[in-house]
């Protein structure tokens, strides 16, 4: 069957203007085709699967006049198949197939579902067709469950996911989500408008003046505003003349505005979950910063509940004092009222976010009415009583007099700013419930920045109005009017008919600088201001009571502090942190009972400022790291402005209270150290990771500009361990001389069909690197797929490393089973040694008595673990069903057992299982297990014997020296053995000692071996001859024809001519073993010069025999051969 892909079949001449991607599903049945003949309607185009899906099945459309083309897709005249036999990726045999871009393809069009995380609350995670499915031939005869054709055909994942999706939709039904107004704007406005607006702003204007007061507000709002923008980016990824009151307001505005900008930037750089400031900081800077600031931020919110409730209680107690209705005494009345209030607030919070949101709206309405009441009061004509208290309506003379500062004793710009700044905080009230927002990326920047703007305008408006209407000092006595003929002191009040000059000499009770209830006096109806104070305190307390558990729950869910995992559990549709509410209630109640927060209040303010500083720094850090993943949708931010905001927040912390700032930094530092030490197993793609990559890349590039120097040489090793866990001893000894000094790459070669090898290689890559990290081995894991082992190693030798960080040494284990191994394995083994020398790479061959491969032990361990898991699962199933009665309970047991894949074992299987169960790993091969850990143990006092027989540049000497620097080997002394003439032993010993001293290498002893070149004893030589006997050709004993035939058939065998030509070298290897047995049998480690087999002259089997006889019956041996370039120098 052939497919006709011509344009008249799959494409219309007129392009569709509704969809960029044209996707059609074609029906192959004759019945459906027949219906098309009489169809005179214009062509009908269906939307792609990533459009608005309203059905669970593909709709089918045809183009008129093309029925014969569709008929070509029928197979053997069959009619359309059912869904049960449909395979989404097989367009040749199934009923439906996907037509994208005008041709048949498995490729799926872009969809948001492909990019979601597993378990995403915003929708299901689906899998696109893999590259293998697109690249390889189409699979045949794969059945797909009915009703799932449309999803699988578009790469939407497996059919079984549909049930999970439906369940998620059911679970999410009824969840309360807020828009940007209710969720962010209202909360932020209520939190920013605190009691400071009603009872302290007038005093600030009196002290700092209108101008400087507004600047203070501006600075505070600017810092928090830039933090807000940074957060949004992270979620879409003396005496001073002139207006100090306004200056204070603008200063505060600057702080909050910068923070708001940063918040907005962070919040629009990806999907935002619950956790507010903690989530934004942790996902940007990582768990270390996020975990430390998250804990103190949640605690600060919990204590803030107590602060606001106590503020409310104090106002109520003042009212009780005026009416002589005290219950006990002021302190205990605050405790009683505060306790009752926090219980009511807890009830509102626990009732659900919807009830809490309704309460916030009501409180906002009251607050807005109170503010409006103040502005209305400023234009209502003042009476004599209010004039005596300093209120004269709008007067230019009062505005001019109050424009400049007039600090009282002990006050200054920064002290006034420290008092006002807490009023500008609260910009994260909306971000803190990010998990309850419909669209956090849109809601956080829009609501936060608008709230900052509205509240700033309100603060500045109130500051200007109160500064233009009320004088600084007033007596409150209506008798202090100016009598005709009296001298005026030149003040604004004097010009308006009142003489308050005695306030210069004695304290007065009224005016901006003396009366905290100025706004109540100015307002049209005083009790509304009291209601506004109640609204401000209760709304802030309610917002903090909700924020603290939400942030704390998100922190606990990430399991950064394992002891707090208990508080991660949520309840109900909204996953309410009820346990967190109770904890917050307990903390708040404890501080309410103290009823004295003057000491703790500065620390709380500093905790919030520390959060703002880190949000600003997060925005800067993410921008500075230049990660491609940093793409905030909110573009109104600047990395340097965010950095300025972070520095400004830190400065404000010390301005408010230096010792509180120090305490904050100390707590944050210790939490940071704790989280760093614990190393939580999370990967959030933080900017810290991005910056680490950039730094590593820059350092690697910079390193390429530095020429190699012998003083900076370090062994950089490729270790042929296979899977690193299968040959731990080989890795341990290599890691001993590369840790913290050189590169170590554990390499594995997968031999076989590429498709299978690549699949196996990719599936285990992360697991094996994770094993290295878990075992604290500073090494990389690399793997290649190749047709043969030697080709794979050759690729690794050439391509491994980066820039100057390229391997210069190959480390391999000795091939213990070389006598039984196939010819190709021996050729590959010796071949990679030749290849390493060809690439000018040093070689280290490590031999231990038991060998390195413990894969059989690991296999037994895996089997035992699986059996134990099955046993525990079966026990759990039986326990769950032990209380059930009747056949229903039995059926349930068998159902669960089948799900666990536990069946009744056959006698044979039972026998094998019991055999394995009876075998302990140590009993399987105790010696092998012990040998695999011998280099992990601390080596006692002993020696490392270095047989430096041939000068290879010094690698044979450098490796043992590095070993003696390690903790495990520091008690071992170096003994140096070198060859020499028997009549010049002392002279050569002195010369070697001089050389080692120049190299600054400490040694215990030097031995000059003068009898290396004598013949070995007969017994030793006989062992060697017996060893090579199976691999000899013995051509001299045969006629010429037979000998030539044997050479052609077995060219790998050792010829008599070869053996005779290298007889002296063979003698040397046997003799060296005798010397090693004599001098180094008790050494902890032997480091020995590796003999080199000249290519084309020494056969592979003879070379393996040399290595075998050389290292036979000895302690662990390192056969080392450098690349004959200096690695040691005595020049400075």
């Amino acid at each position: 069957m052939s497919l006709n892909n011509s344009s008249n079949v799959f494409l219309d001449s007129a392009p569709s203007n509704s969809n960029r991607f044209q996707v059609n599903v074609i029906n192959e049945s004759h019945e459906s085709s027949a219906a098309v003949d009489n169809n005179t309607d214009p062509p009908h185009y269906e939307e792609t699967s990533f459009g608005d899906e309203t059905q669970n099945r593909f709709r089918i459309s045809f183009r008129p006049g093309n029925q014969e083309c569709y008929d070509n897709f029928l197979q053997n005249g069959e009619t359309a198949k059912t869904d049960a036999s449909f395979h989404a990726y097989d367009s040749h045999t199934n009923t439906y197939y996907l037509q994208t871009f005008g041709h048949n393809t498995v490729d799926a069009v872009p969809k948001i579902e492909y990019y979601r995380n597993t378990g995403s609350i915003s929708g299901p995670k689906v899998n696109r067709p893999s590259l293998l499915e697109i690249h390889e031939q189409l699979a045949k005869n794969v059945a797909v469950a009915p009703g799932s054709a449309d999803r699988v055909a578009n790469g939407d994942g497996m059919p079984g996911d549909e049930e999970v999706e439906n369940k998620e939709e059911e679970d999410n039904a009824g969840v309360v989500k807020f828009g940007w107004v209710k969720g962010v704007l209202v909360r932020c406005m209520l939190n920013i408008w605190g009691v400071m607006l009603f009872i302290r702003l007038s005093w600030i204007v009196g002290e700092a003046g209108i101008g400087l007061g507004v600047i203070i507000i501006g600075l505070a709002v600017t810092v928090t505003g830039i933090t807000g923008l940074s957060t949004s980016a992270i979620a879409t990824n003396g005496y001073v003349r002139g207006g100090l009151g306004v200056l204070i307001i603008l200063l505060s505005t600057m702080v909050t505005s910068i923070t708001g900008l940063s918040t907005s930037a962070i919040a629009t750089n990806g999907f935002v979950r619950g956790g507010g400031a903690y989530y934004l900081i942790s996902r940007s800077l990582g768990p270390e910063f996020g975990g430390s600031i998250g804990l103190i931020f949640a605690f600060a919110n919990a204590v803030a509940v107590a602060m606001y409730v106590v503020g409310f209680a104090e106002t109520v107690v003042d009212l009780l004092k005026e009416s002589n209705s005290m219950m006990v005494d002021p302190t205990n009345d605050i405790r009683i009222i505060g306790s009752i209030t926090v219980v009511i607030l807890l009830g509102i919070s626990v009732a659900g976010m919807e009830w809490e949101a309704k309460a916030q709206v009501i409180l906002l309405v009251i607050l807005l009415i109170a503010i409006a009441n103040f502005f209305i009061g400023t234009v209502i004509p003042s009476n004599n009583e209010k004039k005596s208290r300093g209120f004269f309506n709008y007067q230019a003379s009062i505005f001019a007099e109050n424009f400049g500062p007039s600090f009282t004793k002990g006050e200054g710009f920064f002290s006034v700013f420290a008092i006002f700044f807490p009023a500008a905080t609260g910009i994260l009230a909306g971000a803190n419930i990010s998990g309850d927002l419909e669209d956090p990326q849109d809601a956080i920047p829009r609501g936060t920045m608008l709230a900052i703007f509205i509240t700033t305008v309100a603060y500045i408006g109130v500051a200007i109005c109160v500064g233009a209407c009320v004088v600084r000092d007033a007596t409150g006595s209506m008798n202090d009017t100016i009598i005709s003929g009296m001298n005026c002191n030149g003040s604004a009040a004097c010009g308006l008919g009142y003489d308050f000059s005695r306030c210069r000499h004695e304290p007065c009770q009224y005016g901006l600088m003396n009366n905290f209830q100025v706004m109540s006096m100015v307002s049209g109806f005083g009790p509304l201001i009291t209601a506004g104070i109640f609204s401000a305190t209760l709304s802030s307390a309610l917002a903090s009571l909700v924020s603290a558990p939400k942030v704390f729950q998100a922190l606990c869910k990430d399991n950064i502090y394992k002891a707090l995992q208990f508080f991660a559990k949520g309840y109900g549709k909204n996953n309410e942190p009820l346990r967190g509410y109770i904890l917050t209630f307990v903390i708040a109640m404890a501080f309410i009972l103290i009823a004295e927060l003057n000491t703790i209040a500065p620390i709380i303010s500093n905790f919030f400022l520390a959060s703002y500083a880190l949000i600003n720094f997060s925005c800067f850090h993410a921008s500075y790291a230049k990660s491609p993943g940093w793409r905030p949708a909110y573009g109104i931010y600047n990395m340097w402005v965010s950095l300025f905001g972070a520095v400004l927040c830190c400065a404000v912390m010390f301005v408010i209270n230096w010792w509180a700032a120090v305490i904050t930094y100390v707590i944050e530092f210790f939490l940071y150290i704790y989280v760093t030490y614990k190393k939580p197993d999370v990967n959030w793609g933080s900017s810290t990771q991005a910056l680490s990559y950039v730094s590593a890349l820059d350092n690697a590039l910079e390193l390429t500009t530095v020429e190699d120097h012998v003083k900076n040489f370090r062994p950089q090793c490729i270790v042929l361990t296979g899977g690193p866990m299968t040959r731990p001893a080989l890795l341990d000894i290599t890691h001993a001389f590369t840790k913290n000094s050189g590169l170590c790459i554990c390499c594995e070669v997968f031999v076989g069909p590429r498709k299978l090898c690549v699949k196996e290689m990719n599936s285990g890559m992360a697991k094996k690197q994770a094993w290295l990290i878990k075992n604290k081995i500073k090494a990389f894991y690399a793997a290649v797929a190749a047709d043969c082992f030697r080709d794979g190693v050759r690729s690794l030798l050439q391509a491994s490393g980066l820039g100057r960080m390229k391997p210069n040494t190959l480390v391999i284990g000795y091939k213990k089973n070389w006598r039984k191994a196939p010819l190709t394995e021996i050729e590959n083994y010796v071949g990679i040694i030749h290849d390493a020398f060809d690439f000018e790479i040093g070689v280290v061959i490590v031999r231990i008595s038991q060998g390195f491969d413990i894969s059989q032990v690991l296999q037994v361990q895996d089997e035992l673990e699986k059996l134990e898991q099955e046993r525990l699962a079966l026990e759990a199933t039986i326990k769950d069903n032990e209380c059930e009665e009747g056949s229903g309970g039995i059926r349930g047991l068998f159902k669960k057992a089948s799900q666990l894949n536990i069946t009744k074992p056959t006698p044979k299987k039972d026998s094998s299982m019991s055999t394995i169960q009876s075998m302990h790993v140590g009993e399987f091969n105790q010696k092998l297990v012990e040998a695999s850990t011998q280099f992990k143990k601390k080596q006692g006092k002993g020696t490392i014997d270095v047989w430096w027989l041939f000068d290879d540049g010094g690698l044979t000497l450098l490796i043992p020296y590095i070993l003696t620097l390690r903790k495990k080997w520091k008690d071992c002394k170096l003994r140096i053995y070198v060859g020499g003439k028997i009549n010049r032993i002392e002279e050569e010993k002195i010369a070697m000692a001089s050389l080692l001293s120049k190299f600054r290498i400490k040694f215990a002893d030097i031995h000059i071996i003068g009898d290396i070149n004598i013949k070995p004893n007969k017994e030793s030589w006989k062992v060697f001859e017996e060893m090579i006997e199976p691999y000899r050709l013995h051509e001299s004993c045969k006629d010429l024809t037979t000998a030539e035939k044997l050479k052609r058939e077995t060219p790998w065998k050792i010829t008599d001519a070869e053996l005779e030509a290298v007889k002296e070298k063979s003698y040397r290897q046997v003799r060296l073993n005798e010397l090693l047995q004599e001098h180094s049998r008790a050494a902890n480690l032997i480091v020995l010069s590796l003999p080199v087999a000249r290519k084309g002259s020494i056969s592979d089997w003879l070379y393996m025999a040399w290595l075998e006889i050389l290292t036979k019956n000895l302690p662990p041996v390192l056969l080392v051969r450098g690349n004959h370039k200096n690695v040691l120098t005595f020049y400075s």
Side-chain angles (χ1 to χ4, degrees):
M1 180 187 73
S2 62
L3 297 179
N4 187 347
N5 287 343
S6 61
S7 59
N8 63 343
V9 175
F10 290 102
L11 297 174
D12 287 329
S13 58
S16 169
N17 55 11
S18 61
N19 288 310
R20 177 182 175 188
F21 304 116
Q22 180 59 46
V23 179
N24 283 285
V25 180
I26 312 302
N27 191 306
E28 300 176 357
S29 67
H30 282 297
E31 291 81 6
S32 298
S33 300
V36 181
D37 290 338
N38 299 324
N39 184 5
T40 58
D41 292 334
H44 179 65
Y45 296 89
E46 301 297 338
E47 291 186 353
T48 63
S49 60
F50 58 87
D52 221 2
E53 294 181 347
T54 58
Q55 301 177 355
N56 285 332
R57 296 291 306 273
F58 277 127
R59 290 174 291 178
I60 304 169
S61 62
F62 301 93
R63 293 178 174 79
N66 284 336
Q67 178 190 345
E68 65 278 6
C69 297
Y70 300 130
D71 291 341
N72 290 336
F73 295 103
L74 290 171
Q75 296 188 4
N76 303 322
E78 294 180 2
T79 57
K81 300 177 185 177
T82 64
D83 281 339
S85 62
F86 166 71
H87 179 246
Y89 301 152
D90 187 359
S91 60
H92 293 271
T93 60
N94 54 355
T95 304
Y96 305 104
Y97 62 85
L98 185 64
Q99 185 183 354
T100 307
F101 301 110
H103 64 278
N104 178 29
T105 180
V106 173
D107 264 346
V109 290
K111 292 182 67 173
I112 189 173
E113 287 82 359
Y114 299 144
Y115 297 92
R116 287 196 177 108
N117 287 335
T118 304
S120 171
I121 60 174
S122 58
K125 156 74 175 175
V126 293
N127 300 316
R128 67 177 63 81
S130 68
L131 184 62
L132 196 64
E133 290 167 331
I134 295 171
H135 187 230
E136 297 292 333
Q137 293 183 354
L138 289 172
K140 305 287 184 180
N141 303 322
V142 181
V144 176
S148 61
D150 56 339
R151 296 179 66 248
V152 184
N154 289 281
D156 290 356
M158 298 306 296
D161 294 339
E162 187 173 350
E163 183 180 343
V164 177
E165 287 181 39
N166 294 336
K167 186 178 184 300
E168 286 181 355
E169 289 174 5
E170 291 174 5
D171 291 343
N172 290 332
V175 174
V176 178
K177 295 289 184 180
F178 302 111
W180 70 276
V181 175
K182 232 181 188 182
V184 181
L185 180 64
V186 171
R187 294 173 187 278
C188 288
M189 289 172 63
L190 284 170
N191 243 26
I192 296 172
W193 279 332
V195 292
M196 203 69 65
L197 175 66
F198 297 102
I199 62 177
R200 285 293 184 273
L201 188 57
S202 58
W203 176 83
I204 289 169
V205 173
E207 289 282 347
I210 297 172
L212 190 56
V214 171
I215 290 179
I216 287 177
I217 295 175
L219 179 60
V221 176
T222 301
V223 171
T224 51
I226 291 185
T227 304
L229 279 182
S230 298
T231 308
S232 300
I234 295 178
T236 61
N237 278 9
Y239 185 85
V240 183
R241 296 301 304 173
L244 292 187
V246 176
L247 184 64
I248 288 174
I249 296 175
L250 291 177
L251 193 64
S252 302
T253 304
M254 183 186 300
V255 176
T256 55
S257 298
I258 294 176
T259 307
L261 292 172
S262 299
T263 305
S264 300
I266 298 171
T268 55
N269 191 55
F271 185 79
V272 180
R273 298 183 185 272
Y278 159 71
Y279 183 89
L280 299 174
I281 294 171
S282 62
R283 268 49 176 187
S284 179
L285 291 179
E288 295 82 9
F289 281 106
S292 57
I293 202 65
L295 200 59
I296 64 175
F297 185 72
F299 178 76
N301 273 282
V303 177
V305 176
M307 291 177 60
Y308 294 127
V309 169
V310 168
F312 167 77
E314 285 178 347
T315 307
V316 175
V317 169
D318 288 340
L319 294 176
L320 293 176
K321 283 181 182 179
E322 293 176 3
S323 61
N324 294 321
S325 302
M326 298 290 293
M327 291 178 285
V328 185
D329 57 69
T331 301
N332 284 313
D333 283 4
I334 289 174
R335 291 170 178 165
I336 294 169
I337 296 169
S339 300
I340 296 172
T341 303
V342 78
V343 169
I344 295 172
L345 293 178
L346 178 65
I348 295 173
S349 302
V350 172
M353 290 295 294
E354 195 169 8
W355 285 97
E356 187 265 349
K358 290 176 180 177
Q360 292 279 30
V361 172
I362 295 172
L363 293 173
L364 178 63
V365 171
I366 296 173
L367 195 58
L368 291 173
I369 293 173
I371 294 172
N373 176 50
F374 164 78
F375 286 112
I376 292 171
T378 60
V379 297
I380 296 176
S382 178
N383 54 33
N384 290 335
E385 182 183 2
K386 289 186 177 181
K387 286 181 180 179
S388 68
R389 295 181 178 184
F391 173 51
F392 296 93
N393 297 111
Y394 292 104
Q395 301 292 336
S397 59
I398 295 178
F399 181 88
E401 184 179 76
N402 289 341
F403 190 79
S406 180
F407 294 115
T408 55
K409 185 178 180 181
E411 300 294 346
F413 175 82
F414 289 110
S415 65
V416 174
F417 175 77
I419 292 171
F420 172 78
F421 182 79
T425 60
I427 63 166
L428 295 180
N432 286 339
I433 62 162
S434 53
D436 296 295
L437 300 176
E438 288 180 357
D439 185 4
Q441 291 177 286
D442 176 68
I444 291 175
R446 185 187 295 187
T448 302
M449 298 311 296
L450 185 58
I452 291 172
F453 174 76
I454 293 173
T455 53
T456 301
V457 170
Y459 272 126
I460 293 175
V462 170
I464 292 174
C465 289
V466 77
C469 296
V470 184
V471 297
R472 281 192 166 102
D473 296 296
T475 61
S477 174
M478 289 184 289
N479 296 325
D480 287 341
T481 56
I482 295 179
I483 303 173
S484 177
M486 286 183 64
N487 291 325
C488 185
N489 60 8
S491 67
C494 184
L496 295 171
Y498 280 81
D499 181 17
F500 299 140
S501 58
R502 65 188 173 99
C503 291
R504 296 181 179 179
H505 311 291
E506 60 184 59
C508 293
Q509 295 182 357
Y510 298 99
L512 294 176
M513 303 180 71
N514 308 304
N515 183 15
F516 292 151
Q517 302 299 327
V518 166
M519 288 191 68
S520 295
M521 177 190 68
V522 172
S523 65
F525 183 62
L528 281 178
I529 297 299
T530 303
I533 294 173
F534 288 171
S535 174
T537 53
L538 292 177
S539 63
S540 298
L542 192 57
S544 297
L545 185 58
V546 170
S547 297
K550 295 282 185 182
V551 173
F552 193 59
Q553 182 187 36
L555 176 67
C556 296
K557 277 186 175 179
D558 289 334
N559 204 22
I560 292 178
Y561 302 101
K562 297 187 183 300
L564 303 178
Q565 183 67 21
F566 173 79
F567 296 97
K569 184 174 176 57
Y571 298 86
K573 293 291 185 181
N574 268 59
N575 197 32
E576 294 291 345
L578 297 185
R579 296 175 179 177
Y581 280 127
I582 300 301
L583 179 63
T584 304
F585 170 77
V586 171
I587 294 173
M589 186 64 77
F591 282 95
I592 288 172
L593 294 178
I594 294 173
E596 182 56 58
L597 298 177
N598 289 340
T599 302
I600 198 69
I603 298 179
I604 302 307
S605 297
N606 275 276
F607 280 0
F608 283 118
L609 275 168
S611 303
Y612 295 167
L614 278 182
I615 289 175
N616 285 313
F617 184 73
S618 297
C619 186
F620 163 76
H621 199 266
S623 302
Y624 184 75
K626 300 175 184 176
S627 171
W630 173 249
R631 302 184 300 275
Y634 195 90
I636 310 175
Y637 76 95
N638 181 275
M639 59 184 287
W640 300 111
V641 174
S642 294
L643 180 61
F644 170 72
V647 174
L648 194 57
C649 286
C650 295
V652 170
M653 289 174 67
F654 283 94
V655 167
I656 291 177
N657 192 303
W658 69 267
W659 58 264
V662 171
I663 291 175
T664 302
Y665 284 124
V666 169
I667 294 173
E668 186 177 338
F669 175 74
F670 277 107
L671 289 174
Y672 178 89
I673 295 299
Y674 172 81
V675 177
T676 303
Y677 175 76
K678 288 296 183 180
K679 288 189 171 81
D681 186 18
V682 294
N683 182 14
W684 295 326
S686 65
S687 58
T688 306
Q689 294 172 317
L691 194 61
S692 297
Y693 175 83
V694 172
S695 301
L697 184 61
D698 289 342
N699 290 335
L701 290 171
E702 185 178 353
L703 194 60
T704 60
T705 64
V706 179
E707 293 293 331
D708 287 333
H709 194 282
V710 63
K711 288 195 297 183
N712 294 323
F713 176 87
R714 59 198 67 219
Q716 303 194 113
C717 301
I718 280 184
V719 195
L720 297 184
T721 57
M725 63 284 291
T726 60
R727 292 175 176 82
L730 181 61
L731 180 57
D732 289 338
I733 188 62
T734 308
H735 189 241
F737 60 81
T738 59
K739 181 181 179 182
N740 296 328
S741 64
L743 179 69
C744 181
I745 306 177
C746 301
C747 295
E748 185 171 9
V749 179
F750 290 86
V751 179
R754 183 185 299 175
K755 181 178 177 180
L756 296 176
C757 288
V758 169
K759 183 178 180 180
E760 183 182 357
M761 178 176 68
N762 292 340
S763 63
M765 193 81 71
K767 177 183 177 183
K768 290 167 184 174
Q769 184 64 55
W771 185 90
L772 292 171
I773 296 172
K774 180 181 178 181
N775 288 273
K776 299 180 180 180
I777 297 175
K778 296 183 177 181
F780 300 96
Y781 173 76
V784 294
D787 294 331
C788 73
F789 181 72
R790 184 177 180 181
D791 287 345
V793 176
R794 190 184 288 126
S795 300
L796 289 167
L797 290 173
Q798 295 179 88
S800 295
L802 183 69
R804 295 289 183 191
M805 294 184 295
K806 291 184 71 67
N808 53 33
T809 307
L810 171 67
V811 181
I812 57 177
Y814 177 71
K815 192 168 183 62
K816 188 180 178 184
N817 65 339
W818 65 275
R819 302 187 199 185
K820 300 177 182 178
L823 173 63
T824 53
E825 288 188 13
I826 301 302
E827 290 177 345
N828 284 332
Y829 185 83
V830 178
I832 63 173
I833 298 174
H834 288 306
D835 293 336
F837 291 148
D838 287 342
F839 298 135
E840 295 188 340
I841 291 176
V843 175
V844 176
I845 302 177
V846 187
R847 179 174 185 178
I848 59 177
S849 59
Q850 297 298 320
F852 294 103
D853 192 356
I854 63 167
S855 55
Q856 290 180 325
V857 176
L858 297 177
Q859 185 177 358
V860 172
Q861 285 179 335
D862 290 340
E863 290 293 331
L864 292 174
E865 287 176 4
K866 289 177 182 178
L867 289 170
E868 181 66 14
Q869 289 173 1
E870 288 184 2
R871 184 185 64 80
L872 293 174
L874 182 57
E875 287 179 357
T877 304
I878 295 172
K879 185 176 180 180
D880 291 342
N881 292 273
E882 63 184 359
C883 296
E884 296 184 13
E885 297 178 358
S887 59
I890 295 173
R891 284 197 299 270
L893 173 61
F894 279 105
K895 181 179 179 181
K896 289 192 176 183
S898 64
Q899 291 173 351
L900 294 168
N901 198 25
I902 299 173
T903 58
K904 185 177 179 180
T906 61
K908 181 178 179 181
K909 182 177 181 181
D910 184 70
S911 174
S912 61
M913 286 169 59
S914 63
T915 302
I916 295 177
Q917 283 179 324
S918 66
M919 292 173 61
H920 190 270
V921 174
E923 296 172 358
F924 179 79
N925 194 327
Q926 184 64 33
K927 291 184 179 179
L928 184 58
V929 172
E930 290 177 357
S932 68
T933 60
Q934 62 179 307
F935 297 125
K936 293 182 183 294
K937 302 172 185 176
K938 181 175 177 60
Q939 307 294 316
K941 290 186 177 181
T943 63
I944 298 177
D945 287 0
V946 182
W947 290 70
W948 194 16
L949 303 177
F950 306 104
D951 194 333
D952 58 351
L955 186 64
T956 307
L957 189 60
L958 180 63
I959 287 177
Y961 167 73
I962 296 175
L963 285 175
T964 59
L965 302 178
R966 306 305 184 199
K967 185 183 294 185
K968 292 183 176 67
W969 294 88
K970 68 178 182 179
D971 294 332
C972 294
K973 306 298 182 182
L974 291 184
R975 294 195 304 186
I976 311 300
Y977 294 84
V978 293
K981 296 179 181 179
I982 197 148
N983 58 347
R984 299 190 71 247
I985 289 180
E986 288 301 321
E987 292 87 341
E988 294 190 6
K989 187 174 183 178
I990 294 171
M992 179 55 62
S994 174
L995 179 61
L996 293 176
S997 298
K998 289 182 177 180
F999 285 151
R1000 302 172 302 282
I1001 293 179
K1002 296 180 180 179
F1003 57 91
D1005 200 0
I1006 296 176
H1007 296 269
I1008 306 299
I1009 307 299
D1011 54 350
I1012 292 178
N1013 292 323
I1014 66 174
K1015 288 184 179 182
N1017 61 52
K1018 294 181 180 179
E1019 291 77 10
S1020 300
W1021 181 249
K1022 185 178 180 182
V1023 170
F1024 178 74
E1025 287 185 324
E1026 291 175 351
M1027 185 185 302
I1028 63 174
E1029 181 61 32
Y1031 316 107
R1032 293 186 61 180
L1033 190 64
H1034 288 294
E1035 76 280 6
S1036 59
C1037 300
K1038 300 176 178 63
D1039 59 80
L1040 185 60
T1041 305
T1042 304
E1044 291 297 328
K1045 181 181 179 182
L1046 288 173
K1047 285 182 181 180
R1048 290 193 301 270
E1049 291 176 351
T1050 55
W1052 49 270
K1053 283 198 171 185
I1054 305 170
T1055 63
D1056 294 339
E1058 175 193 358
L1059 194 58
E1060 186 63 29
V1062 295
K1063 194 169 188 178
E1064 293 297 325
K1065 290 185 178 180
S1066 299
Y1067 281 158
R1068 185 190 305 149
Q1069 313 311 324
V1070 179
R1071 175 59 183 161
L1072 279 173
N1073 182 259
E1074 293 177 349
L1075 294 170
L1076 287 164
Q1077 297 284 352
E1078 178 183 346
H1079 294 280
S1080 300
R1081 187 67 185 268
N1084 294 57
L1085 181 70
I1086 298 173
V1087 181
L1088 174 65
S1089 293
L1090 172 69
V1092 176
R1094 191 176 297 276
K1095 288 195 298 184
S1097 300
I1098 310 296
S1099 63
D1100 297 341
W1101 295 97
L1102 180 58
Y1103 186 63
M1104 292 303 300
W1106 282 0
L1107 300 183
E1108 174 70 25
I1109 198 63
L1110 182 61
T1111 58
K1112 188 178 179 65
N1113 298 326
L1114 291 173
V1117 178
L1118 267 64
L1119 293 165
V1120 181
R1121 174 69 69 158
N1123 62 359
H1124 286 241
K1125 294 181 179 178
N1126 287 351
V1127 301
L1128 294 173
T1129 182
F1130 43 79
Y1131 295 107
S1132 59

